[in-house]
Short mmCIF file of all heavy atoms in Angstrom, two decimals:
data_model
loop_
_atom_site.label_atom_id
_atom_site.label_comp_id
_atom_site.label_asym_id
_atom_site.label_seq_id
_atom_site.Cartn_x
_atom_site.Cartn_y
_atom_site.Cartn_z
N LEU A 2 11.17 6.69 -12.58
CA LEU A 2 12.26 5.82 -12.12
C LEU A 2 13.64 6.48 -12.43
O LEU A 2 14.52 6.40 -11.61
CB LEU A 2 12.18 4.45 -12.87
CG LEU A 2 13.33 3.48 -12.59
CD1 LEU A 2 13.29 3.00 -11.14
CD2 LEU A 2 13.31 2.33 -13.56
N THR A 6 13.38 10.98 -7.11
CA THR A 6 14.25 10.54 -6.01
C THR A 6 13.44 9.84 -4.91
O THR A 6 12.23 10.03 -4.84
CB THR A 6 15.02 11.74 -5.36
OG1 THR A 6 14.00 12.69 -4.86
CG2 THR A 6 15.89 12.42 -6.40
N GLU A 33 21.57 3.04 -6.74
CA GLU A 33 20.99 3.75 -5.60
C GLU A 33 21.60 3.22 -4.31
O GLU A 33 21.87 3.98 -3.38
CB GLU A 33 19.49 3.58 -5.56
CG GLU A 33 18.74 4.38 -6.61
CD GLU A 33 18.85 5.90 -6.44
OE1 GLU A 33 18.20 6.43 -5.49
OE2 GLU A 33 19.56 6.53 -7.18
N VAL A 54 13.42 -7.74 -7.19
CA VAL A 54 13.95 -8.01 -8.52
C VAL A 54 15.15 -8.99 -8.42
O VAL A 54 15.84 -9.21 -9.42
CB VAL A 54 14.41 -6.70 -9.25
CG1 VAL A 54 13.21 -5.84 -9.59
CG2 VAL A 54 15.43 -5.93 -8.38
N ASN A 57 17.22 -14.82 -7.39
CA ASN A 57 16.94 -16.07 -6.70
C ASN A 57 16.75 -15.74 -5.19
O ASN A 57 16.94 -14.64 -4.76
CB ASN A 57 18.04 -17.06 -6.89
CG ASN A 57 19.41 -16.50 -6.60
OD1 ASN A 57 19.66 -15.93 -5.51
ND2 ASN A 57 20.32 -16.52 -7.57
N GLY A 77 17.41 2.40 16.12
CA GLY A 77 17.38 2.87 14.72
C GLY A 77 16.24 3.85 14.46
O GLY A 77 15.21 3.80 15.15
N ARG A 80 12.92 2.00 11.90
CA ARG A 80 12.24 0.79 12.29
C ARG A 80 10.82 0.69 11.79
O ARG A 80 10.33 -0.38 11.40
CB ARG A 80 12.21 0.63 13.80
CG ARG A 80 13.58 0.46 14.50
CD ARG A 80 13.42 0.04 15.92
NE ARG A 80 13.09 -1.37 16.00
CZ ARG A 80 12.37 -1.93 17.02
NH1 ARG A 80 11.91 -1.17 17.97
NH2 ARG A 80 12.10 -3.22 16.99
N ILE A 81 10.11 1.83 11.72
CA ILE A 81 8.74 1.82 11.22
C ILE A 81 8.71 1.42 9.78
O ILE A 81 7.92 0.52 9.37
CB ILE A 81 8.09 3.18 11.41
CG1 ILE A 81 7.98 3.53 12.89
CG2 ILE A 81 6.73 3.22 10.73
CD1 ILE A 81 7.52 4.97 13.15
N LEU A 95 9.03 -13.06 14.17
CA LEU A 95 8.68 -13.56 15.50
C LEU A 95 9.49 -14.84 15.90
O LEU A 95 9.97 -14.92 17.00
CB LEU A 95 7.18 -13.91 15.56
CG LEU A 95 6.64 -14.36 16.94
CD1 LEU A 95 6.88 -13.28 17.97
CD2 LEU A 95 5.19 -14.73 16.84
N THR A 105 8.32 -4.96 20.68
CA THR A 105 7.91 -3.99 19.68
C THR A 105 6.39 -3.98 19.49
O THR A 105 5.78 -2.96 19.19
CB THR A 105 8.60 -4.23 18.33
OG1 THR A 105 10.02 -4.34 18.59
CG2 THR A 105 8.38 -3.09 17.37
N ILE A 110 4.88 3.67 20.17
CA ILE A 110 4.83 4.26 18.85
C ILE A 110 3.76 3.47 18.07
O ILE A 110 3.98 2.36 17.63
CB ILE A 110 6.14 4.24 18.12
CG1 ILE A 110 7.20 4.95 18.95
CG2 ILE A 110 6.05 4.86 16.75
CD1 ILE A 110 8.63 4.80 18.39
N PRO A 143 -15.78 2.77 15.02
CA PRO A 143 -15.89 4.21 15.04
C PRO A 143 -15.32 4.90 16.22
O PRO A 143 -15.18 6.13 16.24
CB PRO A 143 -17.45 4.44 14.90
CG PRO A 143 -18.04 3.25 15.54
CD PRO A 143 -17.11 2.11 15.25
N ILE A 157 -5.67 -4.52 5.79
CA ILE A 157 -6.69 -5.55 5.33
C ILE A 157 -6.80 -5.49 3.81
O ILE A 157 -7.02 -6.49 3.14
CB ILE A 157 -8.02 -5.42 6.02
CG1 ILE A 157 -8.73 -4.09 5.75
CG2 ILE A 157 -7.91 -5.69 7.53
CD1 ILE A 157 -10.11 -4.00 6.31
N GLU A 178 -19.28 7.18 7.87
CA GLU A 178 -18.34 8.20 8.30
C GLU A 178 -18.72 9.56 7.78
O GLU A 178 -19.23 9.68 6.68
CB GLU A 178 -16.94 7.86 7.81
CG GLU A 178 -16.33 6.54 8.33
CD GLU A 178 -15.93 6.59 9.76
OE1 GLU A 178 -15.40 7.66 10.21
OE2 GLU A 178 -16.09 5.60 10.44
N GLY A 206 -22.61 -0.09 -5.52
CA GLY A 206 -22.73 1.09 -6.37
C GLY A 206 -22.52 2.38 -5.55
O GLY A 206 -21.92 3.34 -6.01
N ILE A 219 -8.29 18.58 -5.12
CA ILE A 219 -6.90 18.72 -5.55
C ILE A 219 -5.95 18.41 -4.38
O ILE A 219 -5.36 19.32 -3.75
CB ILE A 219 -6.63 20.16 -6.12
CG1 ILE A 219 -7.68 20.41 -7.22
CG2 ILE A 219 -5.26 20.28 -6.69
CD1 ILE A 219 -7.55 21.81 -7.79
N VAL A 223 -5.63 11.99 -1.87
CA VAL A 223 -6.98 11.69 -2.41
C VAL A 223 -6.83 11.08 -3.80
O VAL A 223 -7.48 10.05 -4.12
CB VAL A 223 -7.84 12.97 -2.42
CG1 VAL A 223 -9.14 12.70 -3.24
CG2 VAL A 223 -8.21 13.39 -1.05
N ILE A 225 -4.28 9.60 -5.16
CA ILE A 225 -3.69 8.28 -5.11
C ILE A 225 -4.69 7.23 -4.59
O ILE A 225 -4.70 6.10 -5.16
CB ILE A 225 -2.41 8.31 -4.15
CG1 ILE A 225 -1.29 9.12 -4.85
CG2 ILE A 225 -1.93 6.93 -3.82
CD1 ILE A 225 -0.08 9.32 -4.02
N GLY A 230 -8.17 2.51 -5.95
CA GLY A 230 -9.42 1.83 -6.10
C GLY A 230 -9.77 1.49 -7.54
O GLY A 230 -10.21 0.37 -7.83
N VAL A 233 -8.20 -1.61 -9.33
CA VAL A 233 -8.75 -2.90 -9.06
C VAL A 233 -10.17 -3.06 -9.58
O VAL A 233 -10.56 -4.09 -10.10
CB VAL A 233 -8.72 -3.22 -7.53
CG1 VAL A 233 -9.32 -4.58 -7.22
CG2 VAL A 233 -7.28 -3.14 -7.01
N LYS A 236 -13.73 1.00 -14.28
CA LYS A 236 -14.31 0.66 -15.55
C LYS A 236 -13.79 1.56 -16.66
O LYS A 236 -13.24 2.63 -16.40
CB LYS A 236 -15.87 0.85 -15.46
CG LYS A 236 -16.51 0.07 -14.32
CD LYS A 236 -17.96 0.50 -14.13
CE LYS A 236 -18.56 -0.19 -12.89
NZ LYS A 236 -19.91 0.34 -12.62
N PHE A 277 -9.33 -5.81 -18.50
CA PHE A 277 -10.36 -5.86 -19.53
C PHE A 277 -9.88 -6.63 -20.75
O PHE A 277 -10.71 -7.23 -21.48
CB PHE A 277 -10.81 -4.43 -19.88
CG PHE A 277 -11.78 -3.88 -18.87
CD1 PHE A 277 -11.27 -3.09 -17.86
CD2 PHE A 277 -13.12 -4.23 -18.89
CE1 PHE A 277 -12.19 -2.59 -16.85
CE2 PHE A 277 -14.00 -3.79 -17.92
CZ PHE A 277 -13.51 -2.97 -16.93
#
Side-chain angles (χ1 to χ4, degrees):
L2 175 69
T6 60
E33 288 293 287
V54 293
N57 51 55
R80 294 193 76 207
I81 295 171
L95 185 62
T105 310
I110 303 172
I157 62 175
E178 297 286 324
I219 306 177
V223 169
I225 289 175
V233 180
K236 304 170 186 176
F277 284 96

